[in-house]
Amino acid sequence: RLPANRGAISLRVTATNKRQALGVVAEIAARSFGLKSGEVLDALLEREAAGSTGVGHGVAVPHARVSGLDRVRAVFVRLETPVDFGAVDDQPVDLLFALFAPHQASTEHLRSLARVSRLLRQPDMREQLRRVNTGDAVLALAGQVAQPTAA
């Protein structure tokens, strides 16, 4: 289950490029989870250097292992204007659902990544995430990841 944290959600972010967008994600992660933003950004950039986490349809799922966490944590950012992310479909990205795992996390990190990817593959979910206006609404939508059997 992905922990809920309203502070780890930002719906009106301005960034002009991928690095700036990841910088915002790193700042939010640092503030929300007591991490060092520079270390978080370095980990995200290192992961992106291995291949873009832009999964298509305007979505990116940046992820990294970072020190100082005891479990997988998430940050959700919606950009005001989509940025080039080198995504698989060459579409610019406006939804970033970042995951951070402790260095010792094994399958929990991969399970969370798979859940988020499944969720964001649904066109109606992407549309709702682009429309909602509050962190609570994002948490309610993301709660569907944790309860796939909910009606």
Side-chain angles (χ1 to χ4, degrees):
R1 172 152 171 73
L2 293 174
N5 184 335
R6 261 176 227 85
I9 297 168
S10 189
L11 301 178
R12 290 180 186 85
V13 171
T14 302
T16 56
N17 58 46
K18 178 179 186 173
R19 186 184 176 92
Q20 252 184 23
L22 291 172
V24 171
V25 168
E27 289 290 330
I28 293 169
R31 187 178 64 238
S32 300
F33 313 131
L35 305 172
K36 291 185 171 72
S37 63
E39 285 178 20
V40 175
L41 180 58
D42 287 347
L44 287 171
L45 290 172
E46 187 178 317
R47 171 58 192 83
E48 287 298 322
S52 175
T53 57
V55 296
H57 304 286
V59 174
V61 188
H63 52 279
R65 292 178 187 269
V66 292
S67 301
L69 291 178
D70 59 351
R71 60 192 165 143
V72 174
R73 305 301 300 252
V75 169
F76 177 76
V77 167
R78 186 173 68 203
L79 300 177
E80 293 275 3
T81 306
V83 299
D84 178 25
F85 224 81
V88 293
D89 62 357
D90 290 324
Q91 295 299 306
V93 163
D94 64 334
L95 301 176
L96 288 88
F97 205 126
L99 292 174
F100 300 97
H103 282 289
Q104 69 279 10
S106 55
T107 57
E108 180 194 3
H109 176 54
L110 299 174
R111 279 197 305 269
S112 297
L113 211 49
R115 281 198 303 270
V116 167
S117 296
R118 265 196 311 276
L119 178 78
L120 296 173
R121 270 198 296 270
Q122 302 169 22
D124 57 323
M125 180 59 68
R126 292 192 305 268
E127 188 53 42
Q128 288 178 69
L129 287 169
R130 287 185 171 108
R131 276 200 319 257
V132 295
N133 293 316
T134 66
D136 284 338
V138 172
L139 290 174
L141 290 170
Q144 296 174 25
V145 179
Q147 296 118 18
T149 55

